[in-house]
Amino acid sequence: MYKTSLKTWKMAMSNFLTVFLLIEVVACDFRYGGDGLNMNYYFMSCPFVEPVVQNIVNNALQNDPTLAAGLIRLHFHDCFIEGCDGSVLIESTKDNKAEKDSPGNLSLRGFEVIDAIKEELESRCPGVVSCADIVALASRDAVSFAGGPMYDIPKGRKDGRRSKIEDTINLPFPTFNASQLISAFGRRGFSAQEMVALSGAHTLGVATCGSFKNRLSQVDPTLDSEFAKTLSRTCSSGDKAVQPFDATSNDFDNVYYNGLLRKNGVLTTDQTLVTSPQTRNIVYAYAMNQAMFFFDFQRAMVKMGLIDVKEGSNGEVRQNCRIIN
C-alpha cells in the first residue's frame, strides 16, 4: 500500500513538474525578442512546423529508439562550433572539408531524420523553416520521446554559410577532465552546473571503444574494477564496438549519474564529474533528484539553442540542409 502511494505521488509530482516547466518556458516568450527569436515565429508562415517535426521524429524513434541520442548529439555538435546554425549538416565539397568530416563528428547520426523533416516542410511551406530550427526541434522532441522533460524553445534561427573541419577543434574531447570541461563550456557561457546538466544527455546512447580505451591501458583508480572488465570485453571487438553510457540507454532518466557514483562512467569526461570537487556535489544532487536534473537540463538546452544564432542577412534558409544555397 505504501509503495503504491509513493509511486502515485512520484508520478503526480513528475506530471506537475512537466506542466510547470512548460508554463515557465512559454511565459518567457518575450525574453528572446532581442535575439530575433520567439516561441511563435512560424505561427503565420508555417503553423504546422512543430507537429510535422514531432510526427517524423516519433516515427523514426519508434523504429529505432537509439536515434534519440543521435538527434540530441547532433544539436550539441551543431551549436558548439559555429552556433546553432545547421552547419554540422553541410556536406564537404572538393574545395572545402566540412564539420561533418571531422573525426569527432564521424559517429553523428540522425541526418536522414532531418532530411525527411526538411523535405516535408519544403512541400508545405517552401523556403520558410531553417535547418537550424529543425535540428533544435528534433532534439527537443527526442528528449520528450525518451521520457525526458517537455519544454518549448524559441524559433527563428537562420542557417549558416560556413562549415569547416578546422573549427571542430573547439569540441570537448572525451579525455577532458572537469577543469577542461568547465573551461570549454565556460567559453560558451555555461556554468559548471549547466555543464553537468548537459552531460546528463549521456543518459541516452553509447560510446565507441575508441573513445574510452585509453582508460584500460593501465589501472584507472576512478574506474570500478568489474566495470573495467566489461569495458575490456567490449573493446575486444575493436575500436568501433559500443558500450551503453548507462543501464537504461534508451530512457531519459538520472541513472547516468547514479552510475558515476558507482565508478561506472564510460568516458573520462563522465567519471571526472564525480571525482572532481568542482562538480561532485552536482552529480550527487542529480543522482538523488531526477526532477532537479530534468529542470536544469531543459533550461540548459534552451540556453544552448541560443548560442550565436544567425539573424537576417547573416544567414539563410537552405533549400537542402546539406548544401549552402
Side-chain angles (χ1 to χ4, degrees):
M1 174 78 91
Y2 172 75
K3 290 183 178 179
T4 302
S5 299
L6 181 60
K7 183 177 181 181
T8 302
W9 180 82
K10 285 183 176 180
M11 289 178 61
M13 288 302 293
S14 177
N15 292 337
F16 170 78
L17 179 68
T18 297
V19 172
F20 175 76
L21 292 179
L22 190 58
I23 293 172
E24 195 253 4
V25 175
V26 170
C28 294
D29 192 357
F30 296 105
R31 287 183 192 171
Y32 310 103
D35 296 319
L37 307 182
N38 65 74
M39 301 297 184
N40 300 313
Y41 186 85
Y42 295 112
F43 182 72
M44 296 298 292
S45 59
C46 195
F48 31 72
V49 58
E50 298 205 43
V52 166
V53 173
Q54 185 178 60
N55 183 56
I56 292 176
V57 167
N58 286 356
N59 285 339
L61 298 188
Q62 284 168 4
N63 292 327
D64 182 4
T66 67
L67 275 174
L71 291 171
I72 297 167
R73 188 164 175 249
L74 199 61
H75 185 36
F76 174 82
H77 281 238
D78 182 31
C79 293
F80 223 77
I81 306 304
E82 279 293 300
C84 306
D85 65 350
S87 57
V88 75
L89 307 174
I90 295 173
E91 298 281 356
S92 294
T93 65
K94 64 178 182 179
D95 300 316
N96 179 64
K97 276 282 188 182
E99 294 172 29
K100 182 184 279 189
D101 287 329
S102 165
N105 284 339
L106 293 179
S107 60
L108 290 179
R109 303 175 63 217
F111 296 104
E112 69 284 355
V113 179
I114 305 302
D115 290 338
I117 296 168
K118 181 63 173 175
E119 183 178 356
E120 178 65 20
L121 290 174
E122 283 296 304
S123 71
R124 293 176 178 239
C125 40
V128 173
V129 183
S130 68
C131 301
D133 271 350
I134 292 173
V135 171
L137 289 167
S139 175
R140 179 202 64 180
D141 291 345
V143 170
S144 176
F145 180 92
M150 295 183 291
Y151 53 94
D152 201 0
I153 59 172
K155 278 74 72 177
R157 300 163 187 78
K158 290 295 194 295
D159 297 320
R161 301 186 181 94
R162 173 189 172 95
S163 182
K164 294 188 176 294
I165 192 171
E166 57 264 29
D167 294 341
T168 60
I169 192 66
N170 295 317
L171 283 170
F173 286 81
T175 55
F176 273 10
N177 61 34
S179 294
Q180 291 170 311
L181 286 172
I182 290 171
S183 178
F185 278 79
R187 286 192 294 271
R188 281 306 196 181
F190 293 102
S191 67
Q193 178 143 0
E194 289 168 332
M195 180 272 289
V196 177
L198 288 172
S199 297
H202 282 180
T203 182
L204 300 174
V206 299
T208 59
C209 174
S211 62
F212 60 78
K213 68 178 182 179
N214 63 295
R215 304 184 68 199
L216 306 174
S217 57
Q218 55 187 359
V219 177
D220 184 343
T222 70
L223 186 60
D224 176 77
S225 58
E226 288 302 312
F227 191 60
K229 294 176 184 177
T230 297
L231 296 184
S232 295
R233 285 194 294 270
T234 296
C235 287
S236 66
S237 299
D239 282 3
K240 293 185 179 180
V242 296
Q243 175 68 38
F245 282 114
D246 70 25
T248 58
S249 60
N250 290 331
D251 297 328
F252 198 99
D253 50 34
N254 66 340
V255 171
Y256 163 78
Y257 296 106
N258 284 280
L260 301 186
L261 300 183
R262 298 191 303 273
K263 296 185 176 182
N264 282 1
V266 177
L267 304 178
T268 300
T269 48
D270 295 319
Q271 198 59 49
T272 190
L273 299 179
V274 76
T275 57
S276 169
Q278 297 168 286
T279 53
R280 181 182 303 137
N281 289 340
I282 306 169
V283 173
Y284 274 98
Y286 291 159
M288 292 185 292
N289 191 332
Q290 180 169 282
M292 178 188 294
F293 163 50
F294 278 20
F295 183 78
D296 288 350
F297 179 82
Q298 61 90 23
R299 288 174 67 89
M301 284 292 284
V302 172
K303 181 175 179 177
M304 187 180 77
L306 301 175
I307 295 176
D308 293 342
V309 295
K310 308 296 188 292
E311 303 176 55
S313 60
N314 290 327
E316 63 185 18
V317 175
R318 283 185 224 132
Q319 295 177 346
N320 181 330
C321 289
R322 297 172 183 253
I323 304 170
I324 298 170
N325 288 348

